[in-house]
Each structure stands twice: as C-alpha cells, then as structure tokens.
Amino acid sequence: MLSIRAIVRIVLVVVCVAITLYLLWMLRKPISWLLIAIFLAVALSPPVNWLAERMKRGFAITIVYLALLLVPILLIAAIVPPVITEGNNFADNVPTYADDVTEFVQKNKTLRQINEDYNITEQLEKEAKKLPNRLGGAAGTLRDVGLGIVNSVFALITILVLTAFLLGSGRGWVDALIASRPREQRERLRRSLDHMASAVGGYVAGAMTIAVIAGVATYVVLAILGVPFKGPLAVIAGLFSLIPLVGATIAAVLIGLVTLFEDFPTATIIWTIWAIVYQQLENHLLQPQIQKRTVNVHPLITILAVLFGGTLLGILGAIVAIPVAASIQILVREYVDLRTLSIKSPEPPPPVAPPPPDPAPA
C-alpha cells in the first residue's frame, strides 16, 4: 500500500505535468515563432558567416536580411499584377465563353438533346452574367485577407528580430552550453550540433537549387508552347517545388489548367507529358543527387516526417520536416554510439599491486 508521502508526490508530479502542458499550449504561438527563428538562423548562418569573414558581422546580417526581404517583394511584384489582370479579363470574357459553349452544344445532336432535357446552357449563361458581380464580392474577401496579412506583420518582425539575435549571439550561447557539460561529452555534443547545422543548411541550399531548376525548366517549356505569363507561372512552379512530395504535382496541375486556354488540347497534352517526365527526373535524379551529400534520411522516414509535419504545422511543417528528421536522426545516432561505446569499454579493473621482490641471498 502506498504511503501518504508517495501519494502526495504522485499528485504533485501529475499537477506539474498538467501545468507544464497547459503553459506550452498557451505559449504555442511564441514557441512556434522561436522555432521558426532558430530554423532561419541555422539556414542563414552560411551566407552570414561567409560575409562576416570580409566585413563586420552586423553588416553581414543586414545584407542577408535585405536580400531575404527582397525575395517576397519581387515574388509579389511578379505574380500579383498578372493574376489580377487575367482575373478581370476572364470575368469580362466569361459570357463569350458561355456563348461558345452554347453554340458547340447546338451543333452536336447528342449534346443538344441533353441540353433540351436539363437546360444546361441557359443556366450556364445565367451564372456567367452574374460572375463579374461575384468577383466584385471576391475582391472584398481578398481585401480582408490582405488585412489579415498586415496584422501578421508583427509576427514576422518578431521572428526576424529573434533570428537576428540568434545570428549575432547564438554561437556564443552554444559554446556556453557545451562548456557547461562534462569534458567527455563536449566534443560529441559539438560534433552533433555541427552536423545538425550542416544538415539544415544543406537542405535549404538543395531545396533552393531544385526550385531554381524547376522554375527555369518551366519557363523554357511554357515559352516554347507560347503560354502567356510564363514568368509568374515559372515562379509558382519554383515555389511549389519547395513543398516535399506533392508541391511539384500541385504546380503542374495549376499550370495545366492555364494551358487549357492556350492552344487546347496540344499545349495541355505536351505540358502534361513534360510534367510527368520532369517529376520523374526530379524525384529519382536531381533531388537524390543534390540532397544525399547533406541530408541522409531514409525515404520512409522522409515521407512520415512530411506527413507529421504537415499535419502539425501545415505547409511550413512539411517544409521543415526533413531537416528536423535529419537532426533527430543525428541525435539518435550519437546516443546509440555513446551507449555502444560505454558497453564495449567497461571501466578497467583496479591495478594489482606488484609482488614483493625476493629477499637478497645471504
């Protein structure tokens, strides 16, 4: 039977665990910001360290930050105006498209009979006339989304400030943490952290390389096919390729829908064939060759990590899942090596005192 002291101890442990979980849940937003800042700091460390060898570290961090902020500005400038223009043009031309569909149906006996039974074209034309007004309401929805993005600026600034602090002083904190450990653990801990940083940096560099290749290849193919807005579509293909497993497929489907309005069905068929061939090349040639030198993660672990990360944190979780899995794998490997070494190398027995020398002969 448990004593009162043991029962009190169990109750206190349960209460402490519950309070800790509650605090983690309440602080989940700043904790997620901190984790994102750590990931960005590790990913930005290579260019910052390279520039810091040629100038002051503060200037190096500033240059990298300006480059980092310039990327989304250029992406927005490349994508948003064409999308708005094409959306307005599509809304204006929808009634014409509906008339073309009606004319095509009237020329086909089978489709004409189906239309007479279900009155499809009349409903289509009626809805097409309503579309411009509905797009006006959609503009209000986009405005609300824009306000939500503006409200998220505080989170972005907080993450960038945390990242700047980590880039400036993070190495000193890591060295202090390593120095606080016993001497026999310092070298192993330092090696593990260096390998984790290399895995994250290598994954980011590899992902950006694959994104550039996907964007350039998409631009070339769309230029050959004569598809309009090939630049924004190439940018979209590059961005979606950053999402593991499914990003390239989503981008291919979206671009395929655009090709429906340009030289259908020839452009669509050629794009579909190209997308399938390129995805096979990327999945079996480009990505393994680029990533195997930096992130050595088993394919099954990669899939599970992406699924778990996507479920927990959405697209951001899917993107960071692979370097996180690589970091966990490094920690597990070091721990197993440490345990194996401790088992194979038991403490040596105490030295045995040498026997006394023989007495000298008389």
Side-chain angles (χ1 to χ4, degrees):
M1 183 176 181
L2 295 176
S3 62
I4 296 179
R5 185 173 182 178
I7 294 176
V8 172
R9 184 183 303 164
I10 294 174
V11 171
L12 290 177
V13 170
V14 173
V15 171
C16 290
V17 171
I19 293 175
T20 302
L21 294 177
Y22 176 75
L23 291 176
L24 291 176
W25 173 255
M26 296 298 296
L27 299 175
R28 64 189 183 278
K29 184 174 292 185
I31 291 175
S32 64
W33 293 351
L34 178 59
L35 295 177
I36 296 173
I38 293 174
F39 179 82
L40 288 177
V42 175
L44 297 177
S45 291
V48 169
N49 293 335
W50 184 81
L51 291 174
E53 296 176 356
R54 296 158 176 80
M55 62 184 70
K56 291 184 178 180
R57 192 170 183 84
F59 289 154
I61 295 175
T62 302
I63 292 175
V64 173
Y65 260 50
L66 291 177
L68 181 65
L69 294 176
L70 189 61
V71 171
I73 294 175
L74 294 177
L75 293 178
I76 291 174
I79 295 176
V80 174
V83 170
I84 294 176
T85 302
E86 279 304 296
N88 292 332
N89 293 337
F90 178 76
D92 295 336
N93 294 329
V94 162
T96 304
Y97 297 151
D99 294 339
D100 293 341
V101 172
T102 302
E103 183 180 355
F104 179 77
V105 169
Q106 293 299 327
K107 292 180 179 179
N108 188 288
K109 181 178 180 181
T110 303
L111 295 178
R112 184 170 63 251
Q113 182 63 38
I114 296 176
N115 180 57
E116 292 175 356
D117 294 338
Y118 298 98
N119 201 18
I120 297 175
T121 57
E122 182 179 349
Q123 295 297 325
L124 182 61
E125 293 176 357
K126 185 184 300 184
E127 294 298 325
K129 293 178 181 179
K130 296 179 181 178
L131 184 59
N133 295 329
R134 292 183 177 178
L135 287 181
T141 303
L142 292 177
R143 182 181 64 250
D144 296 337
V145 173
L147 292 176
I149 295 175
V150 172
N151 293 332
S152 301
V153 169
F154 173 74
L156 176 61
I157 295 176
T158 303
I159 292 173
L160 293 178
V161 170
L162 289 173
T163 305
F165 277 117
L166 292 174
L167 286 172
S169 306
R171 191 65 191 182
W173 298 339
V174 171
D175 293 338
L177 173 63
I178 294 175
S180 65
R181 303 303 302 167
R183 183 180 301 274
E184 61 274 8
Q185 297 181 7
R186 293 176 187 174
E187 183 60 29
R188 186 176 294 273
L189 182 59
R190 185 182 300 277
R191 183 172 64 249
S192 300
L193 294 177
D194 289 342
H195 288 171
M196 291 167 62
S198 298
V200 175
Y203 172 78
V204 172
M208 295 303 297
T209 302
I210 294 174
V212 171
I213 294 175
V216 172
T218 300
Y219 182 88
V220 172
V221 174
L222 294 181
I224 295 174
L225 295 178
V227 177
F229 304 107
K230 50 187 175 296
L233 293 176
V235 172
I236 292 175
L239 289 177
F240 273 90
S241 67
L242 296 175
I243 304 175
L245 301 181
V246 297
T249 303
I250 296 175
V253 172
L254 293 177
I255 297 175
L257 293 177
V258 177
T259 61
L260 294 175
F261 301 94
E262 184 67 27
D263 193 17
F264 177 81
T266 304
T268 304
I269 294 174
I270 295 176
W271 168 255
T272 302
I273 296 174
W274 156 254
I276 295 174
V277 172
Y278 174 77
Q279 288 184 37
Q280 297 302 314
L281 291 175
E282 180 181 300
N283 294 334
H284 297 92
L285 180 62
L286 292 178
Q287 194 164 15
Q289 292 296 325
I290 292 175
Q291 296 290 358
K292 75 177 183 179
R293 293 179 175 85
T294 53
V295 184
N296 186 18
V297 181
H298 193 276
L300 177 60
I301 298 178
T302 299
I303 296 174
L304 294 178
V306 171
L307 293 176
F308 293 165
T311 302
L312 293 175
L313 298 176
I315 295 178
L316 179 62
I319 293 175
V320 303
I322 295 178
V324 170
S327 301
I328 295 175
Q329 181 175 278
I330 292 171
L331 291 177
V332 172
R333 187 187 305 123
E334 291 291 340
Y335 176 77
V336 172
D337 291 344
L338 180 62
R339 295 293 298 174
T340 304
L341 182 62
S342 62
I343 293 174
K344 291 183 178 180
S345 302
E347 295 183 2
V352 180
D358 296 334

